[in-house]
Structure formats: C-alpha cells, structure tokens
Amino acid sequence: MRDALMRTMIAAATLFLLTAPAMAQAPQLEPGEKLEKLQFPAVAMQLKGWTKFGSSHVYTLPVRAGQHVKVSFATKSKYAFLAIFDLSKPDDEAFFGTDEDGMNFETTVKENTTWLLRPYYSKVSPRRGLGAPFSVLIEPLAAAPQQPQPAAEPERPSLFPKAPPRQ
C-alpha cells in the first residue's frame, strides 16, 4: 500500500514538472480581450489596433535566446500604454511598460520564452472617450557587432641586435 502511494506521488510530481512550463505559457486574459498569437518576424512587423476597454487585442510573441529585438509603441492618447510580460515567469508583473519606461524597448533575449504584449487604456486616469488607437512596431535587429580585438603589433627589427646571454 505504501509503495503504491509513493509511486502515485512520484507520477503526480513528474506530471506536474512536465506540464508546468506549458501552464506558464497560457496568459490570463481580462474580460473581452482577444488573444492573437504572433511569430517572431524576419522583418519589421507593425500591429495596429484600438485599446477599447472590454474588447482589446493582446499578443503573444515567442522569442529565442540571442535574438535582438526592438519594440516601439505609438499612440496619440496620453492614456494608452503598452505592457510586456514574460509568460515563463510566475509573477504577473510587467518587465517593461511605456507608462514608466518610455515608448521603446530594445534588448537581446537571454532565454527562450514567450512575451505577452498588452496594449491598454488606463482606467485610473480622468479621461474622455472609451479607448485610443495605437501601433506597435516589432523590429528584429542584427546582433550587436562584436568589438574587434586589436591586432598584436609585429615585432620590429632593432637596429641594435640583442647581446647573447652571459655565461
């Protein structure tokens, strides 16, 4: 009986460990949000939309280690923002937000993961209207150029030859 219980617990733990990364990849959507799955672009990709409360689009973007990417957010509204989340992390804090970090985010990805890009209209600010238009530009960039190592200078022949060592 005890062995059977132990085997069941090991099987459950193994199943949890195998499915945990998959569970971390499923974003929690706000009511009315529609999920659009993107592929990492080979060239610049522009997304256009409207941050209407209750019927907005959010986007998942798979990124791979070593990719260099720039994400730019543009809107005419001072109440529309973009937040980027890493779905592989257990916390629900954005690692980038245009409300605090500026309108552009540029990085070299450190590990394979999936980002959630969430354009939103601030509910806490006094405002008029139900939403705002926005655009998100996703640009794959060439990796940062490696700094060339300075070449060692060749040894110049001396006008005065070295004396042989004394014995």
Side-chain angles (χ1 to χ4, degrees), residues 1 4 14 47 92 94 99 122 127 129-130 134 148 158:
M1 179 76 167
T14 303
L47 310 169
D92 59 351
D99 57 337
S122 175
R127 66 202 181 275
L130 299 173
F134 69 87
S158 174

Side-chain angles (χ1 to χ4, degrees), residues 24-141:
Q25 295 295 325
Q28 290 194 347
L29 300 178
E30 299 293 326
E33 284 183 330
K34 295 169 190 73
L35 180 64
E36 188 174 327
K37 295 180 180 183
L38 306 174
Q39 295 298 320
F40 193 81
V43 295
M45 171 178 27
Q46 186 170 28
L47 310 169
K48 291 186 176 197
W50 187 267
T51 61
K52 184 176 179 183
F53 179 71
S55 62
S56 299
H57 280 244
V58 295
Y59 309 91
T60 57
L61 178 67
V63 292
R64 301 183 64 80
Q67 288 178 319
H68 195 65
V69 62
K70 180 177 180 183
V71 178
S72 303
F73 182 73
T75 182
K76 292 181 180 179
S77 172
K78 60 182 178 179
Y79 304 114
F81 303 100
L82 173 71
I84 304 176
F85 301 85
D86 184 342
L87 294 178
S88 69
K89 305 291 185 224
D91 60 351
D92 59 351
E93 291 289 319
F95 67 86
F96 174 81
T98 57
D99 57 337
E100 295 178 358
D101 301 319
M103 301 304 264
N104 301 303
F105 173 66
E106 186 174 327
T107 190
T108 299
V109 180
K110 293 182 180 30
E111 59 188 34
N112 295 351
T113 189
T114 300
W115 292 347
L116 176 71
L117 284 70
R118 177 175 273 146
Y120 67 96
Y121 196 63
S122 175
K123 295 186 263 186
V124 297
S125 302
R127 66 202 181 275
R128 297 176 57 130
L130 299 173
F134 69 87
S135 70
V136 177
L137 183 63
I138 302 169
E139 299 175 87
L141 302 174

